[in-house]
Short mmCIF file of all heavy atoms in Angstrom, two decimals:
data_model
loop_
_atom_site.label_atom_id
_atom_site.label_comp_id
_atom_site.label_asym_id
_atom_site.label_seq_id
_atom_site.Cartn_x
_atom_site.Cartn_y
_atom_site.Cartn_z
N MET A 616 105.01 64.86 82.43
CA MET A 616 104.98 64.33 81.07
C MET A 616 104.52 65.30 80.07
O MET A 616 103.57 65.89 80.22
CB MET A 616 103.95 63.11 80.94
CG MET A 616 104.46 61.82 81.84
SD MET A 616 106.13 61.19 81.30
CE MET A 616 106.25 59.70 82.43
N PRO A 617 105.35 65.40 78.97
CA PRO A 617 104.92 66.32 77.95
C PRO A 617 103.88 65.81 77.14
O PRO A 617 103.95 64.80 76.50
CB PRO A 617 106.11 66.54 77.17
CG PRO A 617 107.00 65.26 77.36
CD PRO A 617 106.56 64.67 78.64
N ILE A 618 102.78 66.57 77.10
CA ILE A 618 101.62 66.34 76.11
C ILE A 618 101.63 67.40 75.06
O ILE A 618 101.50 68.57 75.46
CB ILE A 618 100.39 66.14 76.91
CG1 ILE A 618 100.38 65.03 77.88
CG2 ILE A 618 99.15 66.12 75.87
CD1 ILE A 618 99.13 64.89 78.71
N TYR A 619 101.76 66.99 73.84
CA TYR A 619 101.74 67.98 72.82
C TYR A 619 100.52 67.85 71.92
O TYR A 619 99.95 66.76 71.91
CB TYR A 619 103.05 67.88 71.84
CG TYR A 619 104.31 68.03 72.56
CD1 TYR A 619 105.20 67.04 72.69
CD2 TYR A 619 104.53 69.35 73.06
CE1 TYR A 619 106.49 67.23 73.28
CE2 TYR A 619 105.73 69.61 73.70
CZ TYR A 619 106.71 68.43 73.76
OH TYR A 619 107.78 68.78 74.37
N GLU A 620 100.28 68.92 71.37
CA GLU A 620 99.07 68.88 70.37
C GLU A 620 99.49 68.65 69.01
O GLU A 620 100.52 69.28 68.58
CB GLU A 620 98.24 70.17 70.47
CG GLU A 620 97.22 70.28 71.61
CD GLU A 620 96.36 71.30 71.36
OE1 GLU A 620 95.28 71.28 70.67
OE2 GLU A 620 96.67 72.46 71.89
N TYR A 621 98.86 67.79 68.28
CA TYR A 621 99.16 67.50 66.91
C TYR A 621 97.96 67.83 66.05
O TYR A 621 96.89 67.86 66.47
CB TYR A 621 99.62 66.12 66.75
CG TYR A 621 100.95 65.85 67.31
CD1 TYR A 621 101.07 65.65 68.67
CD2 TYR A 621 102.12 65.84 66.59
CE1 TYR A 621 102.24 65.38 69.24
CE2 TYR A 621 103.38 65.56 67.19
CZ TYR A 621 103.50 65.48 68.40
OH TYR A 621 104.66 65.16 68.97
N HIS A 622 98.24 68.00 64.81
CA HIS A 622 97.20 68.27 63.86
C HIS A 622 97.41 67.43 62.65
O HIS A 622 98.66 67.24 62.13
CB HIS A 622 97.27 69.75 63.43
CG HIS A 622 96.28 70.05 62.28
ND1 HIS A 622 94.86 70.33 62.48
CD2 HIS A 622 96.47 70.15 60.98
CE1 HIS A 622 94.33 70.54 61.38
NE2 HIS A 622 95.22 70.55 60.39
N CYS A 623 96.40 66.83 62.17
CA CYS A 623 96.50 65.97 60.98
C CYS A 623 96.06 66.82 59.79
O CYS A 623 94.94 67.27 59.60
CB CYS A 623 95.75 64.76 61.10
SG CYS A 623 95.68 63.71 59.64
N LYS A 624 96.95 66.82 58.88
CA LYS A 624 96.58 67.53 57.57
C LYS A 624 95.62 66.77 56.75
O LYS A 624 94.93 67.38 55.85
CB LYS A 624 97.87 67.91 56.78
CG LYS A 624 98.64 69.06 57.32
CD LYS A 624 99.78 69.57 56.40
CE LYS A 624 100.66 68.53 56.04
NZ LYS A 624 101.80 68.98 55.17
N GLY A 625 95.61 65.52 56.92
CA GLY A 625 94.86 64.51 55.93
C GLY A 625 93.40 64.75 56.23
O GLY A 625 92.55 64.92 55.33
N CYS A 626 93.09 64.71 57.67
CA CYS A 626 91.64 64.78 57.85
C CYS A 626 91.31 65.94 58.78
O CYS A 626 90.06 66.18 59.09
CB CYS A 626 91.22 63.47 58.63
SG CYS A 626 92.01 63.18 60.29
N GLY A 627 92.24 66.69 59.11
CA GLY A 627 91.95 68.01 59.83
C GLY A 627 91.75 67.71 61.44
O GLY A 627 91.38 68.65 62.10
N GLN A 628 92.11 66.52 61.83
CA GLN A 628 91.85 66.27 63.19
C GLN A 628 92.94 66.73 64.01
O GLN A 628 94.11 66.73 63.69
CB GLN A 628 91.80 64.73 63.38
CG GLN A 628 91.60 64.30 64.75
CD GLN A 628 90.24 64.58 65.33
OE1 GLN A 628 89.27 64.42 64.62
NE2 GLN A 628 90.22 64.94 66.55
N ASP A 629 92.51 67.41 65.18
CA ASP A 629 93.48 67.70 66.20
C ASP A 629 93.55 66.73 67.36
O ASP A 629 92.52 66.41 67.79
CB ASP A 629 93.24 69.18 66.79
CG ASP A 629 93.47 70.26 65.78
OD1 ASP A 629 94.36 70.05 64.89
OD2 ASP A 629 92.64 71.19 65.80
N PHE A 630 94.66 66.36 67.87
CA PHE A 630 94.72 65.32 68.86
C PHE A 630 95.88 65.70 69.83
O PHE A 630 96.86 66.20 69.38
CB PHE A 630 94.68 64.01 68.42
CG PHE A 630 95.84 63.67 67.44
CD1 PHE A 630 96.98 63.06 68.02
CD2 PHE A 630 95.92 63.94 66.09
CE1 PHE A 630 98.17 62.79 67.20
CE2 PHE A 630 96.98 63.79 65.31
CZ PHE A 630 98.04 63.08 65.86
N GLU A 631 95.82 65.17 71.09
CA GLU A 631 96.91 65.29 71.94
C GLU A 631 97.66 64.03 72.07
O GLU A 631 97.05 62.91 71.89
CB GLU A 631 96.37 65.65 73.32
CG GLU A 631 95.82 67.13 73.37
CD GLU A 631 95.33 67.44 74.79
OE1 GLU A 631 95.04 66.50 75.57
OE2 GLU A 631 95.07 68.71 75.03
N TYR A 632 98.90 64.15 72.14
CA TYR A 632 99.68 62.79 72.30
C TYR A 632 100.77 63.01 73.32
O TYR A 632 101.43 64.02 73.52
CB TYR A 632 100.54 62.74 70.96
CG TYR A 632 101.27 61.40 70.86
CD1 TYR A 632 100.62 60.23 70.45
CD2 TYR A 632 102.60 61.27 71.15
CE1 TYR A 632 101.32 59.03 70.37
CE2 TYR A 632 103.29 60.23 71.15
CZ TYR A 632 102.67 58.96 70.62
OH TYR A 632 103.37 57.85 70.67
N LEU A 633 100.80 61.97 74.20
CA LEU A 633 101.83 61.97 75.29
C LEU A 633 103.09 61.52 74.71
O LEU A 633 103.21 60.41 74.30
CB LEU A 633 101.27 61.02 76.47
CG LEU A 633 102.19 60.79 77.64
CD1 LEU A 633 102.53 62.16 78.26
CD2 LEU A 633 101.64 59.79 78.65
N VAL A 634 104.12 62.36 74.80
CA VAL A 634 105.33 62.15 74.18
C VAL A 634 106.18 61.42 75.11
O VAL A 634 106.63 62.00 76.20
CB VAL A 634 106.06 63.35 73.53
CG1 VAL A 634 107.41 62.91 73.08
CG2 VAL A 634 105.23 63.88 72.45
N LEU A 635 106.58 60.15 74.95
CA LEU A 635 107.38 59.47 75.90
C LEU A 635 108.74 59.11 75.31
O LEU A 635 108.83 58.61 74.19
CB LEU A 635 106.73 58.10 76.39
CG LEU A 635 105.44 58.25 77.23
CD1 LEU A 635 104.86 56.84 77.33
CD2 LEU A 635 105.62 58.91 78.54
N GLY A 636 109.82 59.46 75.86
CA GLY A 636 111.17 59.30 75.32
C GLY A 636 111.42 59.91 74.08
O GLY A 636 112.33 59.36 73.31
N GLY A 637 110.79 60.96 73.82
CA GLY A 637 111.11 61.64 72.61
C GLY A 637 110.33 61.10 71.28
O GLY A 637 110.51 61.59 70.31
N SER A 638 109.67 60.10 71.56
CA SER A 638 108.99 59.48 70.41
C SER A 638 107.62 60.20 70.10
O SER A 638 106.98 60.57 71.01
CB SER A 638 108.53 58.03 70.66
OG SER A 638 107.54 57.92 71.63
N GLU A 639 107.56 60.46 68.85
CA GLU A 639 106.29 61.30 68.52
C GLU A 639 105.42 60.39 67.58
O GLU A 639 105.95 59.52 66.89
CB GLU A 639 106.82 62.52 67.74
CG GLU A 639 107.66 63.41 68.66
CD GLU A 639 107.92 64.76 67.95
OE1 GLU A 639 107.57 64.91 66.84
OE2 GLU A 639 108.51 65.56 68.69
N PRO A 640 104.21 60.74 67.48
CA PRO A 640 103.35 60.03 66.54
C PRO A 640 103.60 60.32 65.13
O PRO A 640 103.92 61.50 64.73
CB PRO A 640 101.89 60.65 66.93
CG PRO A 640 102.28 61.96 67.47
CD PRO A 640 103.60 61.84 68.13
N ASP A 641 103.77 59.27 64.30
CA ASP A 641 103.97 59.49 62.91
C ASP A 641 102.76 59.15 62.08
O ASP A 641 102.66 59.04 60.94
CB ASP A 641 105.04 58.75 62.39
CG ASP A 641 105.10 57.26 62.68
OD1 ASP A 641 103.96 56.80 63.16
OD2 ASP A 641 105.96 56.49 62.43
N GLN A 642 101.64 58.84 62.86
CA GLN A 642 100.37 58.54 62.11
C GLN A 642 99.18 59.18 62.86
O GLN A 642 99.25 59.39 64.12
CB GLN A 642 100.15 57.03 62.25
CG GLN A 642 100.87 56.23 61.23
CD GLN A 642 100.33 54.85 61.16
OE1 GLN A 642 99.83 54.27 62.11
NE2 GLN A 642 100.47 54.09 59.95
N CYS A 643 98.40 59.55 62.04
CA CYS A 643 97.01 60.12 62.57
C CYS A 643 96.29 59.00 63.27
O CYS A 643 96.16 57.95 62.67
CB CYS A 643 96.36 60.72 61.52
SG CYS A 643 94.59 61.31 62.01
N PRO A 644 95.82 59.07 64.46
CA PRO A 644 94.98 58.15 65.12
C PRO A 644 93.63 57.86 64.55
O PRO A 644 92.93 56.97 64.75
CB PRO A 644 94.91 58.57 66.56
CG PRO A 644 94.92 60.02 66.48
CD PRO A 644 95.98 60.29 65.39
N VAL A 645 93.27 58.88 63.56
CA VAL A 645 91.93 58.75 63.02
C VAL A 645 92.00 58.14 61.65
O VAL A 645 91.31 57.24 61.34
CB VAL A 645 91.34 60.17 62.97
CG1 VAL A 645 89.95 60.10 62.23
CG2 VAL A 645 91.21 60.78 64.40
N CYS A 646 92.90 58.66 60.80
CA CYS A 646 92.78 58.31 59.43
C CYS A 646 94.17 57.52 59.14
O CYS A 646 94.27 57.06 57.89
CB CYS A 646 92.67 59.47 58.54
SG CYS A 646 94.07 60.60 58.46
N LYS A 647 95.10 57.39 60.08
CA LYS A 647 96.17 56.66 59.91
C LYS A 647 97.25 57.22 58.85
O LYS A 647 98.18 56.52 58.38
CB LYS A 647 95.99 55.10 59.45
CG LYS A 647 95.04 54.40 60.51
CD LYS A 647 95.49 54.43 61.83
CE LYS A 647 94.50 53.78 62.68
NZ LYS A 647 94.86 53.87 64.13
N ALA A 648 97.01 58.46 58.33
CA ALA A 648 97.89 59.11 57.45
C ALA A 648 99.11 59.59 58.22
O ALA A 648 99.03 59.99 59.42
CB ALA A 648 97.16 60.20 56.69
N ASN A 649 100.25 59.68 57.47
CA ASN A 649 101.39 60.17 58.25
C ASN A 649 101.57 61.70 57.89
O ASN A 649 102.61 62.14 57.66
CB ASN A 649 102.69 59.51 57.75
CG ASN A 649 102.93 59.60 56.22
OD1 ASN A 649 101.94 60.15 55.48
ND2 ASN A 649 104.07 59.25 55.81
N THR A 650 100.55 62.44 58.10
CA THR A 650 100.45 63.81 57.79
C THR A 650 100.17 64.64 59.12
O THR A 650 99.56 65.68 59.03
CB THR A 650 99.36 64.22 56.70
OG1 THR A 650 98.09 63.56 57.26
CG2 THR A 650 99.82 63.62 55.37
N VAL A 651 100.77 64.09 60.21
CA VAL A 651 100.52 64.86 61.40
C VAL A 651 101.72 65.93 61.56
O VAL A 651 102.75 65.78 61.15
CB VAL A 651 100.50 63.81 62.61
CG1 VAL A 651 99.34 62.96 62.44
CG2 VAL A 651 101.79 63.03 62.78
N CYS A 652 101.40 66.84 62.33
CA CYS A 652 102.25 68.00 62.57
C CYS A 652 102.02 68.46 63.92
O CYS A 652 100.89 68.69 64.41
CB CYS A 652 101.88 69.05 61.62
SG CYS A 652 102.99 70.50 61.69
N ARG A 653 103.16 68.82 64.62
CA ARG A 653 103.03 69.08 66.09
C ARG A 653 102.55 70.69 66.09
O ARG A 653 103.29 71.43 65.25
CB ARG A 653 104.27 68.95 66.73
CG ARG A 653 104.18 69.23 68.34
CD ARG A 653 105.46 69.42 68.98
NE ARG A 653 106.28 68.29 68.96
CZ ARG A 653 107.57 68.34 69.50
NH1 ARG A 653 108.03 69.42 70.02
NH2 ARG A 653 108.25 67.20 69.38
N LEU A 654 101.62 71.02 66.91
CA LEU A 654 101.28 72.38 67.02
C LEU A 654 102.18 73.11 67.98
O LEU A 654 101.94 73.17 69.22
CB LEU A 654 99.80 72.52 67.41
CG LEU A 654 98.80 71.88 66.35
CD1 LEU A 654 97.50 72.03 66.90
CD2 LEU A 654 98.94 72.60 65.06
N MET A 655 103.29 73.64 67.61
CA MET A 655 104.17 74.42 68.42
C MET A 655 104.62 75.69 67.73
O MET A 655 104.32 75.87 66.55
CB MET A 655 105.29 73.52 68.91
CG MET A 655 104.82 72.46 70.00
SD MET A 655 106.27 71.69 70.66
CE MET A 655 107.08 72.98 71.51
N SER A 656 105.61 76.25 68.25
CA SER A 656 106.10 77.56 67.71
C SER A 656 106.70 77.23 66.36
O SER A 656 106.69 78.08 65.47
CB SER A 656 107.08 78.20 68.53
OG SER A 656 108.17 77.33 68.86
N THR A 657 107.31 76.03 66.10
CA THR A 657 107.99 75.71 64.95
C THR A 657 106.93 75.32 63.76
O THR A 657 107.24 75.16 62.71
CB THR A 657 109.05 74.64 64.96
OG1 THR A 657 108.41 73.56 65.58
CG2 THR A 657 110.21 75.19 65.92
N CYS A 658 105.79 75.06 64.39
CA CYS A 658 104.66 74.61 63.43
C CYS A 658 103.36 75.22 63.83
O CYS A 658 102.55 74.54 64.20
CB CYS A 658 104.55 73.09 63.49
SG CYS A 658 103.41 72.36 62.34
N GLY A 659 103.42 76.55 63.91
CA GLY A 659 102.33 77.26 64.42
C GLY A 659 101.21 77.55 63.45
O GLY A 659 101.12 77.01 62.37
N PHE A 660 100.32 78.49 63.90
CA PHE A 660 99.24 78.83 62.99
C PHE A 660 99.68 79.69 61.84
O PHE A 660 99.02 79.78 60.77
CB PHE A 660 98.21 79.54 63.80
CG PHE A 660 97.66 78.54 64.89
CD1 PHE A 660 98.15 78.74 66.20
CD2 PHE A 660 96.93 77.47 64.59
CE1 PHE A 660 97.63 77.91 67.30
CE2 PHE A 660 96.39 76.66 65.65
CZ PHE A 660 96.82 76.93 66.96
N VAL A 661 100.72 80.39 62.06
CA VAL A 661 101.26 81.24 60.97
C VAL A 661 102.74 80.71 60.72
O VAL A 661 103.63 80.72 61.53
CB VAL A 661 101.46 82.65 61.34
CG1 VAL A 661 102.07 83.51 60.28
CG2 VAL A 661 100.08 83.22 61.70
N SER A 662 102.87 80.15 59.50
CA SER A 662 104.12 79.60 59.05
C SER A 662 104.88 80.57 58.16
O SER A 662 104.33 81.28 57.38
CB SER A 662 103.88 78.32 58.41
OG SER A 662 103.28 77.38 59.14
N LYS A 663 106.26 80.58 58.24
CA LYS A 663 107.01 81.31 57.49
C LYS A 663 107.70 80.55 56.34
O LYS A 663 108.06 79.48 56.63
CB LYS A 663 108.21 81.92 58.33
CG LYS A 663 107.69 82.81 59.50
CD LYS A 663 106.89 84.13 59.01
CE LYS A 663 106.52 84.93 60.23
NZ LYS A 663 105.85 86.15 59.65
N GLY A 664 107.62 81.19 55.20
CA GLY A 664 108.24 80.55 54.09
C GLY A 664 109.65 80.69 54.22
O GLY A 664 110.27 81.39 54.98
N GLU A 665 110.35 80.02 53.17
CA GLU A 665 111.79 80.23 53.10
C GLU A 665 112.31 81.62 53.01
O GLU A 665 113.43 81.91 53.51
CB GLU A 665 112.44 79.24 51.97
CG GLU A 665 112.23 77.66 52.31
CD GLU A 665 112.80 76.94 51.14
OE1 GLU A 665 112.74 77.31 50.00
OE2 GLU A 665 113.10 75.71 51.49
N GLY A 666 111.59 82.35 52.30
CA GLY A 666 112.01 83.74 52.07
C GLY A 666 111.45 84.76 53.11
O GLY A 666 111.73 85.75 53.10
N GLY A 667 110.93 84.09 54.29
CA GLY A 667 110.32 84.93 55.33
C GLY A 667 109.03 85.44 55.06
O GLY A 667 108.39 85.98 56.01
N GLU A 668 108.52 85.24 53.94
CA GLU A 668 107.14 85.62 53.78
C GLU A 668 106.16 84.67 54.68
O GLU A 668 106.42 83.53 54.90
CB GLU A 668 106.72 85.55 52.32
CG GLU A 668 106.37 84.15 51.77
CD GLU A 668 107.74 83.33 51.42
OE1 GLU A 668 108.83 83.73 51.83
OE2 GLU A 668 107.50 82.37 50.71
N THR A 669 105.00 85.30 54.94
CA THR A 669 104.03 84.50 55.65
C THR A 669 103.32 83.63 54.59
O THR A 669 102.77 84.09 53.59
CB THR A 669 102.97 85.47 56.33
OG1 THR A 669 103.66 86.26 57.21
CG2 THR A 669 101.94 84.66 56.95
N VAL A 670 103.28 82.34 54.90
CA VAL A 670 102.48 81.47 54.06
C VAL A 670 101.12 81.41 54.56
O VAL A 670 100.83 80.94 55.59
CB VAL A 670 103.28 80.00 54.14
CG1 VAL A 670 102.38 79.01 53.31
CG2 VAL A 670 104.56 80.09 53.67
N SER A 671 100.37 81.79 53.72
CA SER A 671 98.84 81.82 54.06
C SER A 671 98.21 80.47 53.78
O SER A 671 98.52 79.77 52.71
CB SER A 671 98.09 83.03 53.27
OG SER A 671 98.19 82.71 51.84
N THR A 672 97.48 80.05 54.59
CA THR A 672 96.77 78.70 54.49
C THR A 672 95.33 78.92 54.15
O THR A 672 94.77 79.97 54.47
CB THR A 672 97.04 77.87 55.63
OG1 THR A 672 96.55 78.50 56.72
CG2 THR A 672 98.56 77.52 55.70
N SER A 673 94.72 77.84 53.78
CA SER A 673 93.36 77.96 53.31
C SER A 673 92.49 77.07 54.44
O SER A 673 92.90 76.00 54.86
CB SER A 673 93.12 77.39 51.92
OG SER A 673 93.55 76.05 51.84
N ALA A 674 91.37 77.76 54.80
CA ALA A 674 90.33 76.98 55.47
C ALA A 674 90.83 76.61 56.87
O ALA A 674 90.12 75.86 57.48
CB ALA A 674 89.85 75.83 54.68
N GLY A 675 91.96 77.06 57.35
CA GLY A 675 92.39 76.73 58.71
C GLY A 675 92.74 75.27 58.94
O GLY A 675 93.72 75.01 59.55
N ALA A 676 92.12 74.41 58.20
CA ALA A 676 92.38 72.95 58.47
C ALA A 676 93.83 72.56 57.92
O ALA A 676 94.33 71.59 58.26
CB ALA A 676 91.44 72.02 57.69
N SER A 677 94.34 73.39 57.12
CA SER A 677 95.65 73.08 56.53
C SER A 677 96.70 73.99 57.14
O SER A 677 97.48 74.49 56.39
CB SER A 677 95.62 73.25 55.03
OG SER A 677 95.19 74.50 54.59
N SER A 678 96.73 74.23 58.44
CA SER A 678 97.66 75.11 59.17
C SER A 678 99.03 74.81 59.03
O SER A 678 99.96 75.45 59.36
CB SER A 678 97.23 75.48 60.53
OG SER A 678 97.19 74.24 61.23
N CYS A 679 99.27 73.54 58.64
CA CYS A 679 100.62 72.99 58.66
C CYS A 679 101.24 72.98 57.15
O CYS A 679 102.44 72.62 57.17
CB CYS A 679 100.70 71.51 59.18
SG CYS A 679 100.14 71.37 60.80
N THR A 680 100.62 73.54 56.37
CA THR A 680 101.05 73.52 54.96
C THR A 680 102.68 74.17 54.87
O THR A 680 103.38 73.65 54.19
CB THR A 680 100.24 74.24 54.02
OG1 THR A 680 98.91 73.63 54.15
CG2 THR A 680 100.71 74.22 52.56
N GLY A 681 102.73 75.27 55.54
CA GLY A 681 104.07 75.98 55.46
C GLY A 681 105.10 75.27 56.04
O GLY A 681 106.25 75.66 55.87
N CYS A 682 104.90 74.24 56.89
CA CYS A 682 105.91 73.51 57.53
C CYS A 682 106.87 72.84 56.74
O CYS A 682 108.02 72.60 57.08
CB CYS A 682 105.32 72.49 58.60
SG CYS A 682 104.39 73.36 59.91
N ASN A 683 106.48 72.60 55.41
CA ASN A 683 107.29 71.85 54.47
C ASN A 683 108.59 72.75 54.27
O ASN A 683 109.69 72.22 53.90
CB ASN A 683 106.56 71.61 53.29
CG ASN A 683 105.45 70.64 53.37
OD1 ASN A 683 105.62 69.68 54.36
ND2 ASN A 683 104.54 70.67 52.58
N ALA A 684 108.46 74.04 54.52
CA ALA A 684 109.54 74.98 54.17
C ALA A 684 110.23 75.34 55.49
O ALA A 684 111.34 76.08 55.39
CB ALA A 684 109.10 76.12 53.41
N THR A 685 109.80 74.94 56.60
CA THR A 685 110.43 75.25 57.85
C THR A 685 111.07 74.18 58.47
O THR A 685 111.85 73.56 58.03
CB THR A 685 109.43 76.07 58.66
OG1 THR A 685 108.33 75.43 58.87
CG2 THR A 685 109.15 77.51 57.94
N SER A 686 110.55 73.84 59.63
CA SER A 686 111.27 72.87 60.51
C SER A 686 110.29 71.95 61.22
O SER A 686 110.64 71.45 62.38
CB SER A 686 112.20 73.46 61.53
OG SER A 686 111.34 74.42 62.30
N CYS A 687 109.15 71.69 60.78
CA CYS A 687 108.30 70.70 61.46
C CYS A 687 108.57 69.33 61.08
O CYS A 687 108.59 68.86 59.97
CB CYS A 687 106.70 71.01 61.02
SG CYS A 687 105.68 69.82 61.76
N ALA A 688 109.05 68.51 62.09
CA ALA A 688 109.63 67.26 61.84
C ALA A 688 108.49 66.30 61.35
O ALA A 688 108.57 65.34 60.70
CB ALA A 688 110.19 66.61 63.14
N GLY A 689 107.31 66.52 61.72
CA GLY A 689 106.08 65.80 61.55
C GLY A 689 105.59 66.02 60.11
O GLY A 689 104.74 65.20 59.73
N CYS A 690 106.08 67.07 59.34
CA CYS A 690 105.52 67.22 58.11
C CYS A 690 106.48 67.08 56.99
O CYS A 690 106.45 67.66 55.95
CB CYS A 690 105.09 68.67 58.12
SG CYS A 690 103.56 69.04 58.95
N GLY A 691 107.43 66.08 57.22
CA GLY A 691 108.22 65.87 56.14
C GLY A 691 107.52 65.38 54.89
O GLY A 691 106.91 64.44 54.81
N HIS A 692 107.51 66.25 53.87
CA HIS A 692 106.62 66.05 52.72
C HIS A 692 107.30 65.35 51.66
O HIS A 692 108.39 65.56 51.15
CB HIS A 692 106.19 67.41 52.25
CG HIS A 692 105.05 67.35 51.31
ND1 HIS A 692 103.73 66.93 51.70
CD2 HIS A 692 104.91 67.73 50.10
CE1 HIS A 692 102.95 67.06 50.76
NE2 HIS A 692 103.56 67.45 49.68
ZN1 ZN B 1298 93.90 62.29 60.02
#
């Protein structure tokens, strides 16, 4: 069973989620916000902007910020 790590941009919570049948969490289990982002290569700690530049994030808790410009399905902004 694939267990993925997710990160909530809203409250900064990291959590693991057992993905069954391709369904992914669209809500943070803590704050119920839909600002969760899977922590994988497409949504990693270093995100690339549309122009290929590295999108620097602040304070670590917002590591998913750059995903809006890439391909993180969980971060549809
Ligand atoms: Zn949250």
Side-chain angles (χ1 to χ4, degrees):
M616 293 297 184
I618 298 179
Y619 296 121
E620 275 193 88
Y621 289 81
H622 173 81
C623 174
K624 289 193 295 183
C626 66
Q628 178 69 39
D629 292 326
F630 60 97
E631 292 180 343
Y632 186 86
L633 176 61
V634 177
L635 296 173
S638 65
E639 297 187 354
D641 56 5
Q642 277 191 338
C643 171
V645 178
C646 68
K647 309 301 182 187
N649 62 349
T650 53
V651 297
C652 181
R653 190 198 294 179
L654 296 178
M655 286 186 67
S656 59
T657 55
C658 183
F660 300 104
V661 178
S662 300
K663 299 295 183 181
E665 290 181 328
E668 78 277 16
T669 299
V670 178
S671 61
T672 58
S673 61
S677 58
S678 61
C679 295
T680 300
C682 294
N683 292 332
T685 54
S686 58
C687 179
C690 283
H692 193 62

